[in-house]
Amino acid sequence: MMADEETPETPEETPDAVVEPTADEQAEAVAEEAAEEVVAEEVAEEVVAEEVVAEVVAEEAAEEVVAEEIAAEEIAEAVVAEEATSSASEEEAEEEAAPQGKPSVPGAHLEVDIVPEGVDPLGSAETYEDPYAIDDDEAEQGEQKEDEDEEGLVEPISTAAIDLASGARYRATGKRKTAIARVTLRPGTGTYLVNGRILEEHFPRVTLQRNIRQPLEAVGYQERMDVVARLHGGGISAQAGALRHGVSRALLEADPNLRGELKRRGFLTRDSRAKERKKAGLKKARKRPQFSKR
């Protein structure tokens, strides 16, 4: 080594000197601070999540406890209801088993106060008489009179005196609706000849036959006179009414004294009922066409 070479002098370090950080160091410090903040935020979020989970778990546990309490209350109520029903059924069984006593009747202790018929309930001496009351005798007389009238209509006329000579003929005409009957009465055995046929063939209905025979039965000559009739017009019922009317009028020709009894029994009265005529604008006498508003 050469002694003459001089070594460079290093500056002397002073303890009081301040070293300023460089830009790289400042950037690193800022990055570290940011990373620390991010870590702190994540830690805080984790803490919050843990708290939320803990709250949810606590709520579920509380709900389970409440449900258990409600179930326990329902079980207790069911047990109480079963005990009540069992006790009620036992009481009903005891009541049914116990002998039933006669129930008390309200007012059983009161005395019966019956007022005899004809006695004033207020205790006055005068008796009340109903001015509209009907005596039993009058009622019986009225019933007897009605019975006598009915029997009189059924019994034959005893005053009939008809000449039954061999050549006797009594003719008359009867009408009903549009039917006309020309009747001839003559002595015989009680047969009916209507338009050349017997009564049962021309009038098959028993009710019509009975109505036709009524006039002769009323005078008591149902087996002593024959009836010959010619009928035209109308129907079966109208012809039967016309024949009855004609027989009655023929009996009046035979004995005029029968007018009162025959009139009273309704044999001489012509049945004036007839079919009502059709009206213009109507379907029948009263039937109208169906009304339509629209």
Side-chain angles (χ1 to χ4, degrees), residues 7-123:
T7 60
E9 298 180 357
T10 59
E12 298 179 356
E13 293 179 1
T14 57
D16 296 334
V18 178
V19 180
E20 295 181 358
T22 62
D24 295 335
E25 293 177 352
Q26 291 179 358
E28 290 178 359
V30 171
E32 291 177 358
E33 291 179 358
E36 291 177 356
E37 290 179 357
V38 171
V39 171
E41 290 178 357
E42 291 178 355
V43 171
E45 289 178 357
E46 291 178 357
V47 172
V48 171
E50 291 177 357
E51 292 179 354
V52 171
V53 171
E55 291 178 357
V56 171
V57 171
E59 290 178 357
E60 291 179 354
E63 290 179 355
E64 291 179 357
V65 172
V66 172
E68 291 177 357
E69 292 178 355
I70 293 172
E73 291 179 357
E74 291 178 353
I75 292 170
E77 291 178 356
V79 171
V80 172
E82 289 180 358
E83 292 177 355
T85 53
S86 62
S87 61
S89 61
E90 291 176 358
E91 291 178 357
E92 290 178 356
E94 291 177 357
E95 290 179 356
E96 291 178 356
Q100 296 182 356
K102 186 177 181 180
S104 59
V105 179
H109 62 284
L110 300 176
E111 295 181 358
V112 181
D113 188 7
I114 299 176
V115 180
E117 185 178 359
V119 178
D120 187 6
L122 300 179

Side-chain angles (χ1 to χ4, degrees), residues 100-148:
Q100 296 182 356
K102 186 177 181 180
S104 59
V105 179
H109 62 284
L110 300 176
E111 295 181 358
V112 181
D113 188 7
I114 299 176
V115 180
E117 185 178 359
V119 178
D120 187 6
L122 300 179
S124 60
E126 298 178 357
T127 58
Y128 174 75
E129 294 182 0
D130 189 0
Y132 301 102
I134 300 175
D135 295 339
D136 296 338
D137 298 338
E138 295 180 359
E140 292 178 358
Q141 291 176 1
E143 293 177 358
Q144 291 177 359
K145 187 175 181 181
E146 291 178 357
D147 296 339
E148 290 176 358

Side-chain angles (χ1 to χ4, degrees):
M1 292 178 63
M2 294 179 67
D4 295 338
E5 288 181 2
E6 296 180 358
T7 60
E9 298 180 357
T10 59
E12 298 179 356
E13 293 179 1
T14 57
D16 296 334
V18 178
V19 180
E20 295 181 358
T22 62
D24 295 335
E25 293 177 352
Q26 291 179 358
E28 290 178 359
V30 171
E32 291 177 358
E33 291 179 358
E36 291 177 356
E37 290 179 357
V38 171
V39 171
E41 290 178 357
E42 291 178 355
V43 171
E45 289 178 357
E46 291 178 357
V47 172
V48 171
E50 291 177 357
E51 292 179 354
V52 171
V53 171
E55 291 178 357
V56 171
V57 171
E59 290 178 357
E60 291 179 354
E63 290 179 355
E64 291 179 357
V65 172
V66 172
E68 291 177 357
E69 292 178 355
I70 293 172
E73 291 179 357
E74 291 178 353
I75 292 170
E77 291 178 356
V79 171
V80 172
E82 289 180 358
E83 292 177 355
T85 53
S86 62
S87 61
S89 61
E90 291 176 358
E91 291 178 357
E92 290 178 356
E94 291 177 357
E95 290 179 356
E96 291 178 356
Q100 296 182 356
K102 186 177 181 180
S104 59
V105 179
H109 62 284
L110 300 176
E111 295 181 358
V112 181
D113 188 7
I114 299 176
V115 180
E117 185 178 359
V119 178
D120 187 6
L122 300 179
S124 60
E126 298 178 357
T127 58
Y128 174 75
E129 294 182 0
D130 189 0
Y132 301 102
I134 300 175
D135 295 339
D136 296 338
D137 298 338
E138 295 180 359
E140 292 178 358
Q141 291 176 1
E143 293 177 358
Q144 291 177 359
K145 187 175 181 181
E146 291 178 357
D147 296 339
E148 290 176 358
D149 294 340
E150 293 179 357
E151 292 177 357
L153 294 176
V154 175
E155 292 179 356
I157 303 172
S158 60
T159 59
I162 300 175
D163 185 10
L164 297 178
S166 60
R169 297 290 185 272
Y170 306 104
R171 296 179 177 84
T173 302
K175 295 182 180 180
R176 168 79 175 95
K177 288 187 175 179
T178 58
I180 299 175
R182 291 179 173 86
V183 181
T184 301
L185 295 181
R186 65 186 181 185
T189 58
T191 59
Y192 286 77
L193 190 64
V194 181
N195 290 351
R197 298 187 297 176
I198 62 176
L199 185 67
E200 289 75 9
E201 292 181 357
H202 194 83
F203 298 101
R205 292 169 56 183
V206 179
T207 55
L208 298 180
Q209 298 173 14
R210 187 182 304 113
N211 291 336
I212 293 169
R213 289 193 176 99
Q214 281 180 350
L216 281 179
E217 291 176 354
V219 297
Y221 281 78
Q222 66 272 17
E223 295 180 356
R224 301 167 63 184
M225 299 188 75
D226 293 341
V227 178
V228 180
R230 299 294 298 175
L231 298 174
H232 68 274
I236 296 297
S237 179
Q239 288 184 357
L243 180 56
R244 171 181 166 175
H245 188 229
V247 171
S248 302
R249 297 181 69 178
L251 287 173
L252 190 62
E253 293 291 329
D255 186 4
N257 296 325
L258 296 176
R259 173 178 288 275
E261 283 294 327
L262 294 176
K263 188 74 173 178
R264 187 171 67 88
R265 302 188 185 203
F267 295 147
L268 296 179
T269 303
R270 184 191 187 283
D271 193 351
S272 61
R273 294 177 298 174
K275 182 178 177 64
E276 188 176 352
R277 67 171 293 268
K278 181 184 178 299
K279 312 298 189 306
L282 304 183
K283 291 187 175 182
K284 296 197 299 183
R286 297 173 186 267
K287 184 178 180 181
R288 296 178 177 274
Q290 185 176 5
F291 171 74
S292 179
K293 190 171 183 180
R294 294 179 180 84

